[in-house]
PDB file of all heavy atoms in Angstrom:
ATOM      1  N   MET A  31     -14.435  12.132   3.411  1.00 98.00           N
ATOM      2  CA  MET A  31     -13.516  13.232   3.658  1.00 98.00           C
ATOM      3  C   MET A  31     -13.073  13.226   5.137  1.00 98.00           C
ATOM      4  O   MET A  31     -13.941  13.111   6.036  1.00 98.00           O
ATOM      5  CB  MET A  31     -14.139  14.521   3.262  1.00 98.00           C
ATOM      6  CG  MET A  31     -13.243  15.822   3.504  1.00 98.00           C
ATOM      7  SD  MET A  31     -13.906  17.287   2.837  1.00 98.00           S
ATOM      8  CE  MET A  31     -15.321  17.569   3.861  1.00 98.00           C
ATOM      9  N   LEU A  33     -11.094  15.396   8.136  1.00 98.00           N
ATOM     10  CA  LEU A  33     -10.710  16.737   8.524  1.00 98.00           C
ATOM     11  C   LEU A  33      -9.929  16.826   9.786  1.00 98.00           C
ATOM     12  O   LEU A  33     -10.333  16.253  10.773  1.00 98.00           O
ATOM     13  CB  LEU A  33     -11.913  17.699   8.595  1.00 98.00           C
ATOM     14  CG  LEU A  33     -12.811  17.839   7.369  1.00 98.00           C
ATOM     15  CD1 LEU A  33     -13.973  18.712   7.622  1.00 98.00           C
ATOM     16  CD2 LEU A  33     -12.010  18.385   6.192  1.00 98.00           C
ATOM     17  N   LEU A  62      -6.838  22.169   6.075  1.00 98.00           N
ATOM     18  CA  LEU A  62      -7.819  23.287   6.309  1.00 98.00           C
ATOM     19  C   LEU A  62      -7.146  24.633   5.908  1.00 98.00           C
ATOM     20  O   LEU A  62      -5.959  24.756   5.938  1.00 98.00           O
ATOM     21  CB  LEU A  62      -8.301  23.276   7.695  1.00 98.00           C
ATOM     22  CG  LEU A  62      -9.277  22.074   8.066  1.00 98.00           C
ATOM     23  CD1 LEU A  62      -9.427  21.955   9.528  1.00 98.00           C
ATOM     24  CD2 LEU A  62     -10.624  22.284   7.348  1.00 98.00           C
ATOM     25  N   SER A  78     -14.822  29.198  11.034  1.00 97.00           N
ATOM     26  CA  SER A  78     -15.328  27.921  10.598  1.00 97.00           C
ATOM     27  C   SER A  78     -16.221  28.042   9.425  1.00 97.00           C
ATOM     28  O   SER A  78     -16.267  27.130   8.565  1.00 97.00           O
ATOM     29  CB  SER A  78     -16.031  27.277  11.791  1.00 97.00           C
ATOM     30  OG  SER A  78     -15.212  26.967  12.848  1.00 97.00           O
ATOM     31  N   ALA A  81     -14.096  28.276   6.357  1.00 97.00           N
ATOM     32  CA  ALA A  81     -13.482  27.056   6.060  1.00 97.00           C
ATOM     33  C   ALA A  81     -14.451  26.146   5.438  1.00 97.00           C
ATOM     34  O   ALA A  81     -14.209  25.361   4.554  1.00 97.00           O
ATOM     35  CB  ALA A  81     -12.864  26.476   7.322  1.00 97.00           C
ATOM     36  N   ALA A  82     -15.703  26.124   5.911  1.00 97.00           N
ATOM     37  CA  ALA A  82     -16.796  25.259   5.434  1.00 97.00           C
ATOM     38  C   ALA A  82     -17.046  25.660   3.926  1.00 97.00           C
ATOM     39  O   ALA A  82     -17.227  24.719   3.134  1.00 97.00           O
ATOM     40  CB  ALA A  82     -18.024  25.349   6.249  1.00 97.00           C
ATOM     41  N   LEU A  85     -14.393  24.281   1.701  1.00 98.00           N
ATOM     42  CA  LEU A  85     -14.459  22.875   1.555  1.00 98.00           C
ATOM     43  C   LEU A  85     -15.637  22.512   0.534  1.00 98.00           C
ATOM     44  O   LEU A  85     -15.484  21.646  -0.311  1.00 98.00           O
ATOM     45  CB  LEU A  85     -14.774  22.161   2.882  1.00 98.00           C
ATOM     46  CG  LEU A  85     -13.602  22.150   3.888  1.00 98.00           C
ATOM     47  CD1 LEU A  85     -14.119  21.665   5.175  1.00 98.00           C
ATOM     48  CD2 LEU A  85     -12.545  21.291   3.347  1.00 98.00           C
ATOM     49  N   VAL A  99     -18.279  12.368   6.163  1.00 98.00           N
ATOM     50  CA  VAL A  99     -17.261  13.162   6.745  1.00 98.00           C
ATOM     51  C   VAL A  99     -16.906  12.668   8.126  1.00 98.00           C
ATOM     52  O   VAL A  99     -17.755  12.439   8.919  1.00 98.00           O
ATOM     53  CB  VAL A  99     -17.704  14.690   6.809  1.00 98.00           C
ATOM     54  CG1 VAL A  99     -16.609  15.511   7.432  1.00 98.00           C
ATOM     55  CG2 VAL A  99     -18.124  15.172   5.519  1.00 98.00           C
ATOM     56  N   PHE A 100     -15.557  12.544   8.327  1.00 98.00           N
ATOM     57  CA  PHE A 100     -14.998  12.321   9.699  1.00 98.00           C
ATOM     58  C   PHE A 100     -14.147  13.584  10.051  1.00 98.00           C
ATOM     59  O   PHE A 100     -13.325  13.943   9.194  1.00 98.00           O
ATOM     60  CB  PHE A 100     -14.128  11.064   9.673  1.00 98.00           C
ATOM     61  CG  PHE A 100     -13.374  10.927  11.015  1.00 98.00           C
ATOM     62  CD1 PHE A 100     -13.927  10.273  12.131  1.00 98.00           C
ATOM     63  CD2 PHE A 100     -12.093  11.504  11.228  1.00 98.00           C
ATOM     64  CE1 PHE A 100     -13.277  10.162  13.301  1.00 98.00           C
ATOM     65  CE2 PHE A 100     -11.464  11.360  12.431  1.00 98.00           C
ATOM     66  CZ  PHE A 100     -11.993  10.703  13.470  1.00 98.00           C
ATOM     67  N   ALA A 101     -14.519  14.165  11.156  1.00 98.00           N
ATOM     68  CA  ALA A 101     -13.850  15.412  11.529  1.00 98.00           C
ATOM     69  C   ALA A 101     -13.293  15.257  12.939  1.00 98.00           C
ATOM     70  O   ALA A 101     -13.911  14.582  13.806  1.00 98.00           O
ATOM     71  CB  ALA A 101     -14.802  16.565  11.474  1.00 98.00           C
ATOM     72  N   TYR A 102     -12.164  15.904  13.138  1.00 98.00           N
ATOM     73  CA  TYR A 102     -11.417  15.773  14.429  1.00 98.00           C
ATOM     74  C   TYR A 102     -11.131  17.136  15.038  1.00 98.00           C
ATOM     75  O   TYR A 102     -10.715  18.066  14.162  1.00 98.00           O
ATOM     76  CB  TYR A 102     -10.132  14.930  14.173  1.00 98.00           C
ATOM     77  CG  TYR A 102      -9.177  15.007  15.333  1.00 98.00           C
ATOM     78  CD1 TYR A 102      -9.352  14.213  16.425  1.00 98.00           C
ATOM     79  CD2 TYR A 102      -8.062  15.844  15.221  1.00 98.00           C
ATOM     80  CE1 TYR A 102      -8.440  14.208  17.463  1.00 98.00           C
ATOM     81  CE2 TYR A 102      -7.174  15.854  16.294  1.00 98.00           C
ATOM     82  CZ  TYR A 102      -7.357  15.029  17.380  1.00 98.00           C
ATOM     83  OH  TYR A 102      -6.441  15.127  18.438  1.00 98.00           O
ATOM     84  N   LYS A 104     -10.736  20.847  15.964  1.00 97.00           N
ATOM     85  CA  LYS A 104     -11.393  22.045  15.390  1.00 97.00           C
ATOM     86  C   LYS A 104     -12.020  21.760  13.979  1.00 97.00           C
ATOM     87  O   LYS A 104     -12.904  22.506  13.520  1.00 97.00           O
ATOM     88  CB  LYS A 104     -10.378  23.179  15.280  1.00 97.00           C
ATOM     89  CG  LYS A 104     -10.950  24.537  14.791  1.00 97.00           C
ATOM     90  CD  LYS A 104     -12.104  25.079  15.638  1.00 97.00           C
ATOM     91  CE  LYS A 104     -12.853  26.167  14.958  1.00 97.00           C
ATOM     92  NZ  LYS A 104     -12.169  27.466  15.013  1.00 97.00           N
ATOM     93  N   GLY A 105     -11.586  20.710  13.291  1.00 98.00           N
ATOM     94  CA  GLY A 105     -12.130  20.347  12.069  1.00 98.00           C
ATOM     95  C   GLY A 105     -13.628  20.033  12.126  1.00 98.00           C
ATOM     96  O   GLY A 105     -14.355  20.057  11.118  1.00 98.00           O
ATOM     97  N   CYS A 106     -14.156  19.709  13.367  1.00 98.00           N
ATOM     98  CA  CYS A 106     -15.487  19.460  13.536  1.00 98.00           C
ATOM     99  C   CYS A 106     -16.369  20.629  13.312  1.00 98.00           C
ATOM    100  O   CYS A 106     -17.549  20.555  12.923  1.00 98.00           O
ATOM    101  CB  CYS A 106     -15.734  18.948  15.030  1.00 98.00           C
ATOM    102  SG  CYS A 106     -15.028  17.329  15.436  1.00 98.00           S
ATOM    103  N   ALA A 107     -15.827  21.851  13.556  1.00 98.00           N
ATOM    104  CA  ALA A 107     -16.639  23.075  13.440  1.00 98.00           C
ATOM    105  C   ALA A 107     -16.991  23.324  12.004  1.00 98.00           C
ATOM    106  O   ALA A 107     -18.160  23.491  11.624  1.00 98.00           O
ATOM    107  CB  ALA A 107     -15.919  24.243  14.069  1.00 98.00           C
ATOM    108  N   PRO A 108     -15.959  23.449  11.067  1.00 98.00           N
ATOM    109  CA  PRO A 108     -16.439  23.616   9.642  1.00 98.00           C
ATOM    110  C   PRO A 108     -17.227  22.358   9.132  1.00 98.00           C
ATOM    111  O   PRO A 108     -18.081  22.573   8.215  1.00 98.00           O
ATOM    112  CB  PRO A 108     -15.075  23.730   8.947  1.00 98.00           C
ATOM    113  CG  PRO A 108     -14.019  23.219   9.765  1.00 98.00           C
ATOM    114  CD  PRO A 108     -14.563  23.467  11.119  1.00 98.00           C
ATOM    115  N   ALA A 109     -16.851  21.187   9.549  1.00 98.00           N
ATOM    116  CA  ALA A 109     -17.688  19.990   9.171  1.00 98.00           C
ATOM    117  C   ALA A 109     -19.181  20.155   9.454  1.00 98.00           C
ATOM    118  O   ALA A 109     -20.055  19.778   8.683  1.00 98.00           O
ATOM    119  CB  ALA A 109     -17.075  18.718   9.765  1.00 98.00           C
ATOM    120  N   THR A 110     -19.447  20.613  10.707  1.00 98.00           N
ATOM    121  CA  THR A 110     -20.845  20.839  11.187  1.00 98.00           C
ATOM    122  C   THR A 110     -21.537  21.885  10.300  1.00 98.00           C
ATOM    123  O   THR A 110     -22.736  21.708   9.932  1.00 98.00           O
ATOM    124  CB  THR A 110     -20.844  21.248  12.602  1.00 98.00           C
ATOM    125  OG1 THR A 110     -20.174  20.256  13.422  1.00 98.00           O
ATOM    126  CG2 THR A 110     -22.273  21.476  13.101  1.00 98.00           C
ATOM    127  N   LEU A 111     -20.804  22.955   9.949  1.00 98.00           N
ATOM    128  CA  LEU A 111     -21.464  24.039   9.122  1.00 98.00           C
ATOM    129  C   LEU A 111     -21.670  23.492   7.683  1.00 98.00           C
ATOM    130  O   LEU A 111     -22.591  23.843   6.966  1.00 98.00           O
ATOM    131  CB  LEU A 111     -20.594  25.283   9.131  1.00 98.00           C
ATOM    132  CG  LEU A 111     -20.510  25.937  10.510  1.00 98.00           C
ATOM    133  CD1 LEU A 111     -19.647  27.182  10.446  1.00 98.00           C
ATOM    134  CD2 LEU A 111     -21.914  26.322  11.061  1.00 98.00           C
ATOM    135  N   LEU A 112     -20.660  22.732   7.215  1.00 98.00           N
ATOM    136  CA  LEU A 112     -20.888  22.103   5.779  1.00 98.00           C
ATOM    137  C   LEU A 112     -22.136  21.256   5.810  1.00 98.00           C
ATOM    138  O   LEU A 112     -22.963  21.372   4.860  1.00 98.00           O
ATOM    139  CB  LEU A 112     -19.673  21.259   5.506  1.00 98.00           C
ATOM    140  CG  LEU A 112     -19.634  20.588   4.107  1.00 98.00           C
ATOM    141  CD1 LEU A 112     -19.445  21.681   3.034  1.00 98.00           C
ATOM    142  CD2 LEU A 112     -18.496  19.605   4.031  1.00 98.00           C
ATOM    143  N   ALA A 113     -22.377  20.470   6.826  1.00 98.00           N
ATOM    144  CA  ALA A 113     -23.583  19.609   6.918  1.00 98.00           C
ATOM    145  C   ALA A 113     -24.796  20.483   7.127  1.00 98.00           C
ATOM    146  O   ALA A 113     -25.894  20.129   6.584  1.00 98.00           O
ATOM    147  CB  ALA A 113     -23.416  18.627   8.115  1.00 98.00           C
ATOM    148  N   ARG A 114     -24.730  21.547   7.832  1.00 97.00           N
ATOM    149  CA  ARG A 114     -25.854  22.428   7.993  1.00 97.00           C
ATOM    150  C   ARG A 114     -26.227  23.109   6.699  1.00 97.00           C
ATOM    151  O   ARG A 114     -27.425  23.172   6.288  1.00 97.00           O
ATOM    152  CB  ARG A 114     -25.558  23.446   9.093  1.00 97.00           C
ATOM    153  CG  ARG A 114     -26.755  24.447   9.353  1.00 97.00           C
ATOM    154  CD  ARG A 114     -26.317  25.700  10.089  1.00 97.00           C
ATOM    155  NE  ARG A 114     -25.429  26.558   9.236  1.00 97.00           N
ATOM    156  CZ  ARG A 114     -24.865  27.653   9.656  1.00 97.00           C
ATOM    157  NH1 ARG A 114     -24.966  28.058  10.963  1.00 97.00           N
ATOM    158  NH2 ARG A 114     -24.179  28.389   8.824  1.00 97.00           N
ATOM    159  N   VAL A 120     -23.795  16.123   2.714  1.00 97.00           N
ATOM    160  CA  VAL A 120     -23.133  15.302   3.808  1.00 97.00           C
ATOM    161  C   VAL A 120     -24.138  14.198   4.188  1.00 97.00           C
ATOM    162  O   VAL A 120     -25.128  14.489   4.846  1.00 97.00           O
ATOM    163  CB  VAL A 120     -22.786  16.167   4.990  1.00 97.00           C
ATOM    164  CG1 VAL A 120     -22.156  15.323   6.156  1.00 97.00           C
ATOM    165  CG2 VAL A 120     -21.739  17.310   4.526  1.00 97.00           C
ATOM    166  N   LEU A 123     -22.065  12.285   9.424  1.00 98.00           N
ATOM    167  CA  LEU A 123     -20.987  13.065  10.089  1.00 98.00           C
ATOM    168  C   LEU A 123     -20.491  12.326  11.316  1.00 98.00           C
ATOM    169  O   LEU A 123     -21.293  12.034  12.182  1.00 98.00           O
ATOM    170  CB  LEU A 123     -21.513  14.415  10.397  1.00 98.00           C
ATOM    171  CG  LEU A 123     -20.569  15.439  11.187  1.00 98.00           C
ATOM    172  CD1 LEU A 123     -19.360  15.756  10.340  1.00 98.00           C
ATOM    173  CD2 LEU A 123     -21.292  16.681  11.546  1.00 98.00           C
ATOM    174  N   ILE A 124     -19.189  12.143  11.328  1.00 98.00           N
ATOM    175  CA  ILE A 124     -18.551  11.636  12.589  1.00 98.00           C
ATOM    176  C   ILE A 124     -17.697  12.758  13.112  1.00 98.00           C
ATOM    177  O   ILE A 124     -16.776  13.289  12.445  1.00 98.00           O
ATOM    178  CB  ILE A 124     -17.631  10.426  12.298  1.00 98.00           C
ATOM    179  CG1 ILE A 124     -18.440   9.320  11.606  1.00 98.00           C
ATOM    180  CG2 ILE A 124     -17.027   9.887  13.565  1.00 98.00           C
ATOM    181  CD1 ILE A 124     -17.599   8.170  11.129  1.00 98.00           C
ATOM    182  N   VAL A 125     -18.015  13.174  14.355  1.00 98.00           N
ATOM    183  CA  VAL A 125     -17.254  14.242  15.095  1.00 98.00           C
ATOM    184  C   VAL A 125     -16.398  13.616  16.165  1.00 98.00           C
ATOM    185  O   VAL A 125     -16.877  12.635  16.809  1.00 98.00           O
ATOM    186  CB  VAL A 125     -18.148  15.299  15.617  1.00 98.00           C
ATOM    187  CG1 VAL A 125     -18.808  16.099  14.376  1.00 98.00           C
ATOM    188  CG2 VAL A 125     -19.254  14.772  16.488  1.00 98.00           C
ATOM    189  N   LEU A 234     -29.155  19.057  12.350  1.00 97.00           N
ATOM    190  CA  LEU A 234     -28.543  18.478  11.214  1.00 97.00           C
ATOM    191  C   LEU A 234     -29.297  17.262  10.732  1.00 97.00           C
ATOM    192  O   LEU A 234     -29.641  16.468  11.532  1.00 97.00           O
ATOM    193  CB  LEU A 234     -27.112  18.075  11.616  1.00 97.00           C
ATOM    194  CG  LEU A 234     -26.073  19.178  11.926  1.00 97.00           C
ATOM    195  CD1 LEU A 234     -24.700  18.555  12.134  1.00 97.00           C
ATOM    196  CD2 LEU A 234     -26.062  20.176  10.841  1.00 97.00           C
TER     197      LEU A 234
END
Side-chain angles (χ1 to χ4, degrees):
M31 180 170 67
L33 299 179
L62 289 166
S78 296
L85 292 170
V99 179
F100 173 87
Y102 168 79
K104 184 57 192 283
C106 296
T110 300
L111 295 180
L112 182 70
R114 181 197 69 183
V120 179
L123 174 64
I124 304 173
V125 292
L234 293 185

